[in-house]
Amino acid sequence: MFEKVLIANRGEIALRVHRACREMGIKTVAVHSTADADAMHVRLANESVCIGPAPASESYLNIPAIISACEITGADAVHPGYGFLSENAKFADILKAHGITFIGPSGDHIRLMGDKIQAKITARELGIPCVPGSDGAIRTNEEAYAVAEETGYPVLVKAAAGGGGRGMKVARSKDELASALSTARAEAKAAFGDDSLYMEKYLGQPRHIEVQVIADSHGNVAHLGERDCSLQRRHQKVLEECPSPALNAQQRAEIGGIVARAIKKLGYLGVGTVEFLYEDGQFFFIEMNTRLQVEHPITEAVTGIDLVREQIRIAAGLEMSFRQEDVQFNGHAVECRINAEDARTFTPSPGTIKDFHTPGGLGVRVDSAAYSGYRIPPYYDSLIGKLVVHGRNRNECLMRLRRTLHEFVIDGIKTTIPLFQDLVNEPDFMNGDYHIHWLENYLKQKS
Ligand code: ADP
C-alpha cells in the first residue's frame, strides 16, 4: 500500500480524498495555490506545498509544479479528484514516467474516452446503445444535413473535446444547423483547441441516468447501480438521486450488466461512470467519465461502499474489497450541490462566510471544506458543499432533505439552498416526475 498520497485538488474533494487516506493509514500531501493557503485541506493534510499563484492554470493545472511537489515530499501516488487534471491523459503518462502512481485509469483509457467521437465508436463496439447521429466527425455542412435528414430535426451539434456542457448547439431546421455548426466550431476551437464536431438526435424529454462501474487489475468488475442526474441547469447537474425514480431492479441489473461487461472487455481500471440519456424505456450512451464524480456520495450512501478507498486499493494493485454479488442497494439518497451563487440569478457570490452550521442526525452527510470565517476565493468553481441525505426509501429521504435544508446555516454570502427549499415543495420533483429540461422550465416560470 502507498505510504503517502499527494492530493492534486482543492475544496471538498481534496478533503474527501484526505479522509479516505487517513482511514487507510496513508499520509497525505496537500497542494495549494497562494489563494488557498488557509484552506481546510491544507490544514488537515500531513504536509502541504504551495504550487503557484491563484489562477488554476498556474497552480492546480501546473503539471511541473505538482511533479516537483511529489518529489520534494516523496509521495508515491497522486489522487486527482475531479476536474483539474483528473482527465488529463498527459498528466497520467508523466506521473507513470516518474514512477509515481496515478490513482485512476491508464492514460490511454483517459485519452480514448476524452475524445467523445472515439468514445462513442468504442461504446458501440462494446455493445452499449448510443444516441442516433453521425458515425464520426462531421466534416462538411452537406454531411451534417444528410445526418439530420436521417435522424430528423431537432439535432444537437457537439464538440468531440466537449465538457461541462460547452460547445453544444441545438438546431431545429436546416438553416439553424448551418449557423449551429459554425458557432459550435468556433466555440470548441476557443475552449478546447480542437474544433472536431459530431451530431446527435436531440432528445426531447429524456432523463440523465449514469451507471457507476469499478474494475481492478485481477479481472474483477462490478456495477454499483445508477444515479439520476436529470435536474440540470445549462447542462450542469444541480441535484442527483440514487436510485433513479424511473428504473426498477430488473432494469438496473440489465443496464448495469451491459456496462460492467463492456468495461471488462475494455480492460479498464478503477472507477468510471457511463452516462446515458433515458427516454421511453431506452438507454442511449452519451459519454464516459474516467474519474470520481462529484455525485459519488449518493452511491456510497446506498451501497455502503467507500469509492475512494476502492480507487486507492485498485491503484495499489490490490483486489477491490467486494464482488458484484455483495453489492446491495439500500434505501434512497439525494445530493444537493450547494453553490456560492444567488439562488435566482445564479450569479457567483464569493466573499466571507460569517456563520457556517451544518445539519446532522441520522442519514446526513455534508462534504464541504467551508467553515465559519472562511473566505471563498473568486478564482475557482462556486461549489462550497454537498448535502447528502439517505433514507430507507425515497419518501423518508425527501422528508429528511426538507428537514436538513432548514437546519443548514450559511451566513455572509448567497447560496443555492433556497432553490432546494423550493424544490422539496414541488409536486413534480416530489413525485420523481422530471426530465433534463424540467428545472430550466421551472426556473423560467418562476422568474
Ligand atoms: P458534457 O461532457 O459537456 O457534460 P454530455 O454529453 O455529458 O456533455 O451532455 C451533458 C448534458 O447535455 C446531458 O446530461 C443532457 O442534459 C444534455 N444532452 C447531451 N446530449 C443530448 C442529446 N442528444 N439530446 C438532448 N440532450 C442532450
Side-chain angles (χ1 to χ4, degrees):
M1 185 41 71
F2 309 119
E3 279 187 21
K4 205 186 264 188
V5 168
L6 183 140
I7 303 164
N9 215 300
R10 65 182 300 282
E12 68 84 20
I13 196 61
L15 212 51
R16 167 69 189 90
V17 174
H18 168 82
R19 286 173 173 150
C21 291
R22 263 319 244 276
E23 290 179 15
M24 296 174 83
I26 300 169
K27 292 197 184 70
T28 57
V29 178
V31 292
H32 65 91
S33 68
T34 49
D36 277 338
D38 55 1
M40 192 55 99
H41 75 281
V42 177
R43 295 185 191 196
L44 288 181
N46 295 88
E47 289 171 74
S48 63
V49 180
C50 180
I51 48 166
S57 58
E58 296 172 52
S59 49
Y60 298 104
L61 294 170
N62 182 342
I63 296 177
I66 293 170
I67 302 285
S68 304
C70 288
E71 291 187 338
I72 294 164
T73 56
D76 35 24
V78 171
H79 194 301
Y82 53 70
F84 294 132
L85 296 169
S86 61
E87 287 176 298
N88 185 313
K90 201 173 100 193
F91 182 54
D93 289 344
I94 293 174
L95 282 173
K96 194 173 174 198
H98 282 74
I100 303 163
T101 305
F102 176 74
I103 301 176
S106 70
D108 288 342
H109 281 141
I110 299 176
R111 209 169 277 117
L112 177 67
M113 291 302 165
D115 181 329
K116 295 173 127 198
I117 294 175
Q118 284 310 317
K120 242 183 122 170
I121 293 170
T122 308
R124 202 174 293 129
E125 284 169 3
L126 291 169
I128 296 178
C130 296
V131 188
S134 59
D135 282 332
I138 290 284
R139 279 166 294 265
T140 63
N141 283 18
E142 276 57 43
E143 232 178 286
Y145 302 148
V147 172
E149 286 304 319
E150 212 181 299
T151 62
Y153 288 94
V155 290
L156 189 61
V157 177
K158 297 172 96 172
R166 282 176 304 169
M168 271 192 249
K169 290 277 167 274
V170 186
R172 295 178 193 281
S173 63
K174 197 171 169 182
D175 284 349
E176 277 185 29
L177 182 52
S179 66
L181 286 163
S182 59
T183 35
R185 222 178 266 293
E187 247 182 61
K189 182 87 192 160
F192 313 109
D194 172 359
D195 67 358
S196 325
L197 301 177
Y198 65 110
M199 260 169 68
E200 280 178 357
K201 174 153 189 59
Y202 182 71
L203 302 178
Q205 301 201 324
R207 303 182 79 108
H208 173 119
I209 295 181
E210 58 185 34
V211 177
Q212 176 73 58
V213 276
I214 181 163
D216 68 19
S217 57
H218 300 264
N220 301 303
V221 178
H223 74 85
L224 295 176
E226 82 286 5
R227 294 181 287 259
D228 194 317
C229 314
S230 303
L231 281 184
Q232 303 182 351
R233 183 179 164 268
R234 299 195 173 162
H235 305 302
Q236 301 267 34
K237 299 161 189 167
V238 171
L239 176 151
E240 304 93 347
E241 57 180 311
C242 171
S244 168
L247 296 194
N248 59 35
Q250 193 197 333
Q251 290 169 302
R252 171 168 315 111
E254 249 168 52
I255 191 67
I258 289 174
V259 175
R261 284 190 292 278
I263 286 314
K264 185 162 176 137
K265 237 192 263 174
L266 194 61
Y268 187 83
L269 208 65
V271 306
T273 299
V274 177
E275 298 192 333
F276 293 95
L277 294 178
Y278 175 80
E279 195 171 56
D280 301 330
Q282 274 184 291
F283 285 95
F284 302 99
F285 171 87
I286 46 173
E287 69 165 341
M288 175 169 183
N289 291 319
T290 54
R291 55 167 163 82
L292 191 69
Q293 304 266 104
V294 175
E295 60 275 21
H296 76 277
I298 51 174
T299 298
E300 294 185 324
V302 168
T303 62
I305 292 167
D306 180 333
L307 283 169
V308 179
R309 173 186 271 264
E310 297 301 327
Q311 280 191 297
I312 295 171
R313 286 179 63 90
I314 292 168
L318 300 176
E319 292 187 44
M320 51 203 236
S321 70
F322 62 91
R323 299 288 175 270
Q324 184 71 65
E325 55 272 24
D326 303 323
V327 180
Q328 286 188 4
F329 302 103
N330 292 314
H332 200 94
V334 168
E335 173 184 274
C336 297
R337 297 193 187 199
I338 298 173
N339 289 345
E341 287 171 3
D342 184 292
R344 274 184 179 275
T345 61
F346 298 95
T347 38
S349 173
T352 300
I353 297 178
K354 289 203 189 75
D355 202 6
F356 189 75
H357 172 80
T358 57
L362 180 63
V364 182
R365 165 176 174 180
V366 177
D367 276 19
S368 173
Y371 52 87
S372 292
Y374 175 63
R375 194 175 45 81
I376 301 165
Y379 309 101
Y380 313 107
D381 75 14
S382 54
L383 183 77
I384 49 166
K386 306 186 306 203
L387 171 61
V388 181
V389 174
H390 181 242
R392 287 175 301 172
N393 52 52
R394 190 169 187 269
N395 188 50
E396 187 175 273
C397 178
L398 293 179
M399 290 304 128
R400 188 162 283 155
L401 179 62
R402 200 181 263 174
R403 184 270 289 176
T404 49
L405 286 165
H406 271 281
E407 257 177 59
F408 216 141
V409 177
I410 305 179
D411 277 345
I413 55 154
K414 290 181 180 165
T415 76
T416 47
I417 290 176
L419 167 66
F420 299 115
Q421 287 171 334
D422 287 348
L423 280 178
V424 290
N425 289 310
E426 276 307 311
D428 286 352
F429 171 64
M430 294 306 277
N431 295 330
D433 191 9
Y434 57 83
H435 52 78
I436 60 167
H437 306 299
W438 184 90
L439 183 61
E440 298 232 353
N441 293 341
Y442 166 78
L443 293 169
K444 222 179 282 165
Q445 275 165 19
K446 274 191 68 179
S447 63

